[in-house]
Amino acid sequence: MEDLYKYENTKRIVDKYDFVFKKKYGQNFLMDKSILDEIIYSADISKDDVVLEIGPGIGTLTQLLAEKAGHVIAVEIDKELIKILENDTLKEYNNVELINNDILKMDIGELTSRYKHRRMKVVANLPYYITTPIIMKLLESNAPLDSITIMVQKEVADRLISTHLDKDCGAISLAVQYHSEPSIVCEVSREAFIPSPNVDSTVIKLKILKEKRIKVTNEELFFNLIKVAFGQRRKTLVNCINNQTSYFKNKEEILEIFDKLGFTPNVRGEKLSMEDYKNLAEEISKRS
Ligand code: SAM
């Protein structure tokens, strides 16, 4: 195996296939051996594990995953890269399954169902333009995931790791807290990639909780309220709920429930805790 984190090896592959990096797919390849080692170490992979990698690129991380894991499923949107992976960089590995698809169009539950009795881990250097939808998709998939170890833009990592909600938080911060124990693995300078992106990155690990952080009866309603609350940040929560849902006939009904739950009438979504959303969802459930 040729170490692809070495510039001359990646350059040889790029030149051989006349590969042109596609900005629209967030193609920034990781070239730093110490960061790759940190990712592999913190993901804690063994031969018992099945790893899902999103966006293998030319296979720099994939090769290391294949050495450690029992099986690797690698989903790559770019056909040109699939050709390189199949014919060249991954051809020595018989435990890697390559799928040419858009991860956002795939059913993660179905993709992982063949391995439901194995420990399943996600490891990826994510394309930044779709970080949030990918994380939401993974968390909402109900696939038997043990952990998600991912490289994301530094600002996104700060938001995901934060335990107190503030104006920078989004629905995703609550979803991460609800499903997992998040931690920072390491910070990564933009210089560690070719081509170099405009932002620095952070590797984070989301250890999926066996029991969700709080017990919620109607998860769909709970998350719908959170998405509605964070969808129009400049509006008060009453207005968000009134404009975007049909749980209540009018604002007065919403304010009645707010009063009962001890929320101020002009509260914004980011000021409420996960428990507050759970209580609100329960009050709404009681009415229907
Ligand atoms: N894993 C490689 C590395 O660490 O060097 C490449 C990471 S690069 C940041 C992101 C990769 O995700 C690219 O290979 C890109 O083509 C792929 N990608 C982008 N959008 C995708 C999507 N919707 N589904 C699957 N792969 C995608």
Side-chain angles (χ1 to χ4, degrees):
M1 150 186 128
E2 263 186 347
D3 296 324
L4 295 168
Y5 53 82
K6 290 187 180 149
Y7 178 75
E8 61 275 19
N9 293 338
T10 287
K11 183 159 184 336
R12 188 188 62 76
I13 296 286
V14 165
D15 290 347
K16 179 173 168 188
Y17 290 89
D18 282 329
F19 178 75
V20 179
F21 290 86
K22 297 176 191 72
K23 215 171 172 181
K24 67 168 179 176
Y25 289 150
Q27 289 173 344
N28 304 98
F29 296 167
L30 182 58
M31 301 297 294
D32 187 318
K33 170 79 162 74
S34 65
I35 304 293
L36 285 158
D37 286 344
E38 284 243 37
I39 295 174
I40 298 287
Y41 175 76
S42 59
D44 185 25
I45 299 157
S46 77
K47 289 286 169 199
D48 292 334
D49 295 325
V50 175
V51 173
L52 168 63
E53 186 191 10
I54 298 157
I58 59 167
T60 319
L61 178 61
T62 328
Q63 292 182 335
L64 304 175
L65 293 170
E67 300 282 333
K68 294 268 180 189
H71 190 80
V72 178
I73 306 170
V75 179
E76 173 57 60
I77 197 168
D78 188 346
K79 247 194 209 123
E80 259 193 273
L81 288 173
I82 293 286
K83 199 169 75 187
I84 298 176
L85 295 163
E86 270 173 1
N87 298 334
D88 219 307
T89 55
L90 295 183
K91 76 166 186 253
E92 283 175 31
Y93 299 93
N94 56 13
N95 62 340
V96 180
E97 177 185 347
L98 272 175
I99 301 175
N100 183 203
N101 207 339
D102 176 345
I103 191 69
L104 293 179
K105 295 202 177 128
M106 297 191 76
D107 180 336
I108 307 280
E110 198 183 297
L111 181 66
T112 57
S113 62
R114 274 173 295 151
Y115 301 103
K116 59 174 180 278
H117 301 301
R118 306 273 297 273
R119 216 161 48 149
M120 164 77 65
K121 294 174 175 171
V122 176
V123 184
N125 171 12
L126 289 182
Y128 292 166
Y129 74 107
I130 44 170
T131 305
T132 302
I134 293 178
I135 298 174
M136 282 308 258
K137 192 173 174 94
L138 291 169
L139 292 175
E140 287 173 351
S141 69
N142 280 329
L145 300 180
D146 173 81
S147 62
I148 302 174
T149 306
I150 42 176
M151 171 105 67
V152 298
Q153 197 176 321
K154 185 180 179 312
E155 290 68 28
V156 175
D158 293 343
R159 246 200 281 166
L160 298 183
I161 298 294
S162 167
T163 46
H164 56 274
L165 294 180
D166 59 27
K167 65 176 179 23
D168 290 333
C169 284
I172 189 156
S173 312
L174 280 170
V176 164
Q177 300 293 333
Y178 177 71
H179 288 280
S180 76
E181 186 64 55
S183 61
I184 289 188
V185 174
C186 61
E187 309 282 348
V188 187
S189 149
R190 61 194 75 186
E191 308 302 331
F193 304 86
I194 58 161
S196 207
N198 297 329
V199 291
D200 292 319
S201 303
T202 303
V203 178
I204 58 169
K205 179 168 182 176
L206 310 179
K207 177 79 186 156
I208 303 298
L209 299 169
K210 293 212 164 41
E211 305 272 329
K212 306 278 164 58
R213 197 167 298 267
I214 60 170
K215 211 168 161 17
V216 171
T217 326
N218 187 338
E219 247 184 39
E220 198 184 327
L221 174 57
F222 172 71
F223 275 110
N224 192 40
L225 282 172
I226 291 171
K227 281 177 193 160
V228 162
F230 284 91
Q232 293 185 309
R233 280 152 174 282
R234 274 179 303 213
K235 295 217 157 84
T236 61
L237 183 58
V238 171
N239 282 335
C240 288
I241 295 177
N242 194 42
N243 296 345
Q244 297 176 65
T245 75
S246 49
Y247 300 134
F248 299 91
K249 277 200 218 88
N250 50 44
K251 271 194 193 180
E252 286 61 44
E253 279 191 8
I254 307 174
L255 285 168
E256 240 172 70
I257 299 282
F258 273 28
D259 188 45
K260 186 172 170 193
L261 294 173
F263 304 168
T264 55
N266 56 357
V267 71
R268 286 174 203 276
E270 73 237 20
K271 295 288 175 215
L272 297 190
S273 66
M274 216 186 305
E275 283 287 342
D276 290 330
Y277 283 105
K278 169 194 159 144
N279 294 337
L280 185 55
E282 268 160 23
E283 283 300 324
I284 293 174
S285 288
K286 276 189 218 159
R287 300 163 58 89
S288 46

